[in-house]
Amino acid sequence: MDFATLSETIATGRFGHALSRLVPATAVWDREWDVCCILDGCRLDLMREAAAAGHEALPGPDGVDSLWSVGSQSAEWMDRTFAPAYREEMARTAYVTGNPFSSQSCEHILVTSDEVLPLSEADFGVFHEAWRDDWVDDGISTIPPESLTDAAIAIWRRREELGVDRVLVHYMQPHAPFRSRPEWFFGSADIEHWGQFADGEDGDDPADEDLDLEDLTAEEQEALEAFAEADDDEGSMNDPWLRVRDGDLAFEAVWRAYRDNLEWVLDDVARLLENCDGRVAMTSDHGNALGELGVWSHPPGTPVPALRRVPWVVREGRDLGTGDPALPDAVREGDEAGAQQDGRGSDGDDDDVESRLEALGYR
């Protein structure tokens, strides 16, 4: 079997489920921490590179350990991390997430079960889907780290009254889109039409109303042409790793942007460290494959080390009181806010989830 055939077979999940289970994975619950930061899509070598450069949130590169993740894609990681076997741990934990997969059934992902997703408030001591309120469509479509850090600090300081003793905060960086290269994720800033382009006559798609070719810079026009040439069926429109594979983007440029996104979130983790007394861990749900064994990006059910061997860093936080964020409304208002979010099955909410996952390259 050649690399291309192996990659296709793994990516479709035809035997990925069985192979993935052979990897000696470690659930985050099996490690000691008070606050655990999930840096979505962070490769081990990227974290060690940032540590070697001396980022204040990290120890030296020798202090960046590793573990084998339970999944190679976010939904798979959630499905196994929040499995029924961990209900006792979850009941004492606040989960603050910027990842929209928290609300998805993920029936289309063959390696996930039907027992876990979508997540609900009943699964955790505190459950805050920050992406519902703090998603932005300014330049790139994502959730910046600041609001998740604010929520984590506020919840940790009030953990006794909230009935939790740990906080798990799921940041979306360094996962694409990249703040330094918004043109790679070119599309309408309207969340409903992000990254979409009409295939038919002018005016066939509402997104056309937001797109005036005469107003585009040369760089934006080049990005648009690249998107038009991409194979949308393979999901490459908003996935920079597939575009590197296809020769559309240079590896060095993507790596620099990827590294910048990691620094973006690490700057906020540094803020968390100075506003939280306790053991703060940093890890990832999965990495990103760059052609290892013919695999690119982060398909589920893939036992490739570049995807499954992720960073593990532990620092001691010290609350210096440099910030005083308020509890998020949804957490403070408790049952009232929860009742409002019970409408998550409505068409509008489903549309938001789909568009946000698309912006992250999952659709």
Side-chain angles (χ1 to χ4, degrees):
M1 180 182 294
D2 60 26
F3 279 169
T5 304
L6 175 62
S7 175
E8 180 184 359
T9 303
I10 291 175
T12 57
R14 284 196 282 269
F15 64 78
H17 180 71
L19 284 179
S20 185
R21 294 289 184 177
L22 296 178
V23 174
T26 300
V28 293
W29 310 112
D30 297 334
R31 294 293 180 95
E32 294 294 325
W33 48 270
D34 297 308
V35 178
C36 184
C37 301
I38 307 300
L39 311 185
D40 202 296
C42 185
R43 283 177 63 112
L44 175 60
D45 53 358
L46 181 73
M47 183 77 94
R48 286 179 171 165
E49 183 177 300
H55 196 284
E56 62 179 320
L58 299 174
D62 292 340
V64 179
D65 202 351
S66 67
L67 57 75
W68 289 88
S69 174
V70 297
S72 59
Q73 186 254 17
S74 294
E76 181 186 11
W77 179 86
M78 288 184 186
D79 183 71
R80 296 180 182 173
T81 297
F82 304 129
Y86 301 113
R87 292 299 182 197
E88 183 177 344
E89 291 89 340
M90 292 161 59
R92 299 184 291 108
T93 301
Y95 182 41
V96 177
T97 182
N99 194 309
F101 271 124
S102 62
S103 70
Q104 295 284 285
S105 66
C106 298
E107 297 174 351
H108 60 291
I109 300 176
L110 300 181
V111 297
T112 60
S113 69
D114 58 0
E115 300 177 316
V116 176
L117 296 170
L119 302 173
S120 74
E121 291 181 355
D123 295 325
F124 303 94
V126 173
F127 180 44
H128 179 47
E129 293 177 301
W131 60 268
R132 290 186 180 274
D133 299 319
D134 298 313
W135 198 271
V136 300
D137 289 304
D138 183 14
I140 57 173
S141 185
T142 191
I143 179 168
E146 292 81 5
S147 64
L148 283 86
T149 300
D150 285 346
I153 292 170
I155 291 171
W156 176 251
R157 288 176 175 167
R158 296 161 178 81
R159 60 191 179 280
E160 290 187 7
E161 65 186 80
L162 293 170
V164 298
D165 55 27
R166 286 191 289 192
V167 178
L168 183 62
V169 53
H170 193 150
Y171 293 99
M172 278 315 304
Q173 290 74 35
H175 194 291
F178 303 136
R179 65 172 178 176
S180 63
R181 300 305 298 259
E183 70 276 8
W184 289 348
F185 309 92
F186 184 80
S188 167
D190 176 1
I191 193 67
E192 295 297 330
H193 307 117
W194 178 261
Q196 298 179 11
F197 297 95
D199 292 327
E201 298 295 330
D202 290 344
D204 285 354
D205 193 299
D208 291 339
E209 298 175 7
D210 300 313
L211 183 63
D212 188 343
L213 296 179
E214 295 182 357
D215 293 337
L216 301 183
T217 65
E219 191 173 34
E220 289 170 336
Q221 290 184 31
E222 180 180 352
L224 177 57
E225 291 171 0
F227 277 128
E229 294 172 358
D231 185 353
D232 192 27
D233 291 338
E234 293 185 8
S236 60
M237 290 288 280
N238 269 346
D239 192 321
W241 312 108
L242 297 184
R243 295 181 66 193
V244 171
R245 177 201 65 186
D246 296 340
D248 182 38
L249 294 175
F251 167 81
E252 294 79 7
V254 172
W255 188 265
R256 284 194 300 270
Y258 186 33
R259 163 79 179 272
D260 179 73
N261 253 32
L262 176 59
E263 292 170 352
W264 185 14
V265 67
L266 287 177
D267 288 347
D268 237 57
V269 173
R271 186 165 65 90
L272 177 66
L273 285 166
E274 65 183 25
N275 285 280
C276 172
D277 282 322
R279 180 176 294 184
V280 178
M282 287 168 263
T283 187
S284 186
D285 50 351
H286 60 80
N288 278 292
L290 298 171
E292 294 91 346
L293 291 177
V295 178
W296 294 85
S297 193
H298 46 272
T302 308
V304 174
L307 287 171
R308 296 291 295 275
R309 189 173 176 225
V310 296
W312 181 260
V313 177
V314 178
R315 305 300 305 273
E316 289 296 326
R318 181 183 178 191
D319 193 348
L320 303 177
T322 60
D324 187 24
L327 281 174
D329 289 344
V331 175
R332 187 177 66 250
E333 295 169 4
D335 292 340
E336 180 181 349
Q340 293 172 355
Q341 287 189 7
D342 281 344
R344 67 186 61 178
S346 66
D347 291 341
D349 287 340
D350 288 345
D351 288 344
D352 280 349
V353 173
E354 288 296 318
S355 60
R356 292 172 188 191
L357 288 171
E358 179 182 357
L360 296 170
Y362 285 110
R363 294 289 186 268

